[in-house]
Amino acid sequence: MDATAAAGKVTRENLQRDAYLYIRQSTLKQVVNNTESAQRQYALRSRAVALGWDHSQIIVIDTDQGQSGASAEGRDGFQRLVAEVGMGHAGIVLGLEVSRLARNNTDWHRLLEICALAGTLILDEDGLYDPGNFNDRLPGFDIIRRPGELNLGSDLRGHG
């Protein structure tokens, strides 16, 4: 995604809220042996800064290291992330591959719906997404958002 398109998605309201970087690897073996993945995940902070967030606004949640994403149960970091988004504290959620934030479709779709309602953007290595924009193609969300169906984000925020 080019910088101009990305800048058009980031609003003043997004920048007034914090950026949440969620870091997780599924097993302790991956945590120990795949340090490159961890480095790439932490490096996403620079993407938030490039979009306008101050370093002091970037909150890193890395307490779920070595835990599977199969369920939100027992993943305190993921549960905290969902709560912060739901309370309107997050302007953006960052993750290496956002569709892997939750391997359980129910948990993933719930997070996306809450992001849409709260006006929270999502960023991964592949792009910047606005779950509240029906036309923004977000990996994993097309399963429940087909053309002609309810435009959840816009309809509920009064933009549809």
Side-chain angles (χ1 to χ4, degrees):
M1 160 171 278
D2 67 46
T4 305
K9 291 183 183 183
V10 178
T11 68
R12 184 175 16 181
E13 288 92 17
N14 293 120
L15 293 172
Q16 289 172 344
R17 295 180 274 156
D18 291 323
Y20 284 81
L21 173 57
Y22 182 76
I23 295 175
R24 182 187 64 80
Q25 289 176 288
S26 299
T27 67
L28 289 176
K29 183 178 178 180
Q30 288 177 334
V31 173
V32 172
N33 296 328
N34 193 357
T35 56
E36 179 187 336
S37 174
Q39 291 169 353
R40 288 175 44 219
Q41 291 181 66
Y42 284 105
L44 288 172
R45 290 181 285 206
S46 65
R47 299 271 306 270
V49 170
L51 290 170
W53 274 270
D54 187 79
H55 287 282
S56 65
Q57 291 179 279
I58 301 170
I59 298 170
V60 176
I61 299 176
D62 58 5
T63 55
D64 292 341
Q65 290 282 39
Q67 295 186 20
S68 169
S71 170
E73 187 175 327
R75 289 175 49 209
D76 295 338
F78 182 77
Q79 293 176 20
R80 176 184 172 203
L81 175 66
V82 171
E84 295 290 346
V85 171
M87 291 186 293
H89 297 167
I92 191 169
V93 170
L94 303 102
L96 191 60
E97 184 181 332
V98 294
S99 65
R100 297 197 56 158
L101 288 173
R103 300 306 283 167
N104 175 305
N105 281 338
T106 302
D107 295 335
W108 172 229
H109 291 157
R110 185 174 300 120
L111 174 61
L112 291 176
E113 290 172 0
I114 294 169
C115 284
L117 292 170
T120 301
L121 302 172
I122 295 181
L123 179 134
D124 69 6
E125 280 192 319
D126 294 327
L128 175 66
Y129 311 98
D130 180 355
N133 180 342
F134 184 71
N135 294 315
D136 204 351
R137 296 290 173 207
L138 182 66
F141 206 41
D142 56 341
I143 296 167
I144 61 172
R145 289 196 332 177
R146 293 176 194 81
E149 289 184 353
L150 175 66
N151 183 352
L152 180 65
S154 295
D155 289 348
L156 292 178
R157 287 189 302 187
H159 299 125

